[in-house]
Amino acid sequence: MSAPTILFAAKPDRWPTYEPHLRRALAAAGISDANLTTQADPSDVDYIVYAPNSEVQDFTPYTKLKAVLNLWAGVENVTGNATLTAPLARMVDTGLTDGMVEWCVGHTLRHHLGMDTHIHGQDGIWRNGSVPPLARNRPVTVLGLGALGEAVAQALHGLGFPVSGWSRSPKSIANVTTHHGEEGLQAALSRAEIVILLLPDTPATENILNAKTLAALPEGAVLINPGRGPLIDDDALLAALDSGQIGHATLDVFRQEPLPEAHPFWAHPKITVTPHIASETRPETASETVAENIRRGEAGEPFLHLVDRNLGY
Ligand code: NDP
């Protein structure tokens, strides 16, 4: 069998960072003879290492494509591309997961411990009225129990939080009270003092937090959204923050990114904006995922982390 041609089609500025890791991982996977390149005749390309902002938007000329291997976990900008008929794999990367766990744990602890009171209150007043509760008395819910959501749920359980989770299909996960489907959402939200969104952006998840579901949360609940902007109805969130139904929202992702300077989220006293930095794909570990999928493709084995184009994730 001839060596596969692998087109690196993420933005060119990523190539110097990825190239050595991809070459090392391909060699470790037994594919050191692969033609890994940033330029190829489309009709020769077997695999595309992809990112949604790639110059490749029309896949029609890639006539022998075996798979598109996305570098990002989120695939909402690729799933609707009708010219892509080859299998599409999303990124599952231990480095990306570790980063997301750290970010979510950090922001959960900020709110759980009420850190803002003392960080912003260095004014000579001895506010010793309340000691933070223990994690075991602070129910947390993670919406989305995939690669990232499950890891975050386990880390929070490890700290003592009672953790519930919600997914599309039924799941049994040690240490996590699981709910699923439309009918399970109310139960997942009803006790949650902190809610973390790690759902994909699909037609079924858009505005999953809206006026009705925000009202299902205990008063003063905190939202942490590193998932995607469209998961939350922005106007409903602003109304819930202003009424006190929601105590604070830490938002990493937005319907429009960068978040426009004039957007009300920036100045809102109960919103923390972070600029889509919760976590990112780490070239060293992600290259192993890419190489393993190419090894599988060459060996005729099923690809890992395939996207269901009908479900959109
Ligand atoms: P996965 O595909 O592994 O998991 C998605 C989870 O969401 C699954 O548990 C799935 O349910 C659940 N889900 C999907 N649709 C629904 C629905 N309609 N109702 C209920 N549950 C649903 O994704 P990852 O964990 O890898 O990533 C999650 C998201 O995190 C990404 O799509 C991306 O948007 C975001 N992300 C953000 C980053 C950042 O820096 N801010 C970085 C990386 C990712 P089921 O298990 O039943 O399939």
Side-chain angles (χ1 to χ4, degrees), residues 72-76 90-93 96-97 100 103 143-150 166-171 179-182 185 197-206 208 225-228 231 252-253 257 276-281 311-313:
W72 310 151
V75 288
E76 68 277 7
R90 69 201 171 78
M91 178 51 65
V92 175
D93 158 32
L96 171 70
T97 303
M100 185 59 81
W103 190 88
L143 301 182
L145 290 171
L148 300 177
E150 183 174 350
W166 184 67
S167 53
R168 187 182 52 80
S169 54
K171 283 190 184 305
H179 305 274
H180 69 276
E182 230 171 282
L185 185 57
L197 289 99
L198 277 167
L199 292 161
D201 174 11
T202 72
T205 60
E206 183 168 8
I208 201 77
N225 185 15
R228 282 292 182 263
L231 299 175
D252 186 55
V253 284
E257 295 181 9
H276 202 145
I277 45 72
S279 188
E280 70 171 357
T281 304
L311 292 173
Y313 74 100

Side-chain angles (χ1 to χ4, degrees), residues 28-166:
I31 331 167
S32 45
D33 59 347
N35 174 26
L36 175 66
T37 176
T38 56
Q39 297 290 334
D41 182 333
S43 63
D44 290 336
V45 173
D46 296 283
Y47 302 92
I48 298 182
V49 178
Y50 196 69
N53 53 7
S54 165
E55 279 169 16
V56 177
Q57 295 297 329
D58 179 7
F59 292 91
T60 319
Y62 295 86
T63 47
K64 66 183 265 231
L65 200 54
K66 294 175 185 161
V68 170
L69 308 171
N70 202 46
L71 287 177
W72 310 151
V75 288
E76 68 277 7
N77 294 323
V78 205
T79 48
N81 189 328
T83 68
L84 175 57
T85 52
L88 168 67
R90 69 201 171 78
M91 178 51 65
V92 175
D93 158 32
T94 54
L96 171 70
T97 303
D98 291 347
M100 185 59 81
V101 166
E102 291 174 21
W103 190 88
C104 289
V105 166
H107 285 277
T108 299
L109 287 177
R110 167 193 171 194
H111 295 297
H112 166 61
L113 297 174
M115 289 181 180
D116 290 14
T117 306
H118 304 293
I119 291 171
H120 298 304
Q122 300 292 307
D123 50 9
I125 299 172
W126 188 256
R127 292 183 182 83
N128 68 342
S130 65
V131 170
L134 292 174
R136 62 172 174 254
N137 296 318
R138 178 86 71 192
V140 176
T141 287
V142 183
L143 301 182
L145 290 171
L148 300 177
E150 183 174 350
V152 168
Q154 294 298 359
L156 293 171
H157 163 76
L159 290 170
F161 292 98
V163 183
S164 298
W166 184 67

Side-chain angles (χ1 to χ4, degrees), residues 2 11 70 77 146 186 253 281 288 296:
S2 62
K11 284 270 182 202
N70 202 46
N77 294 323
Q186 168 82 24
V253 284
T281 304
E288 288 164 16
R296 285 169 166 259

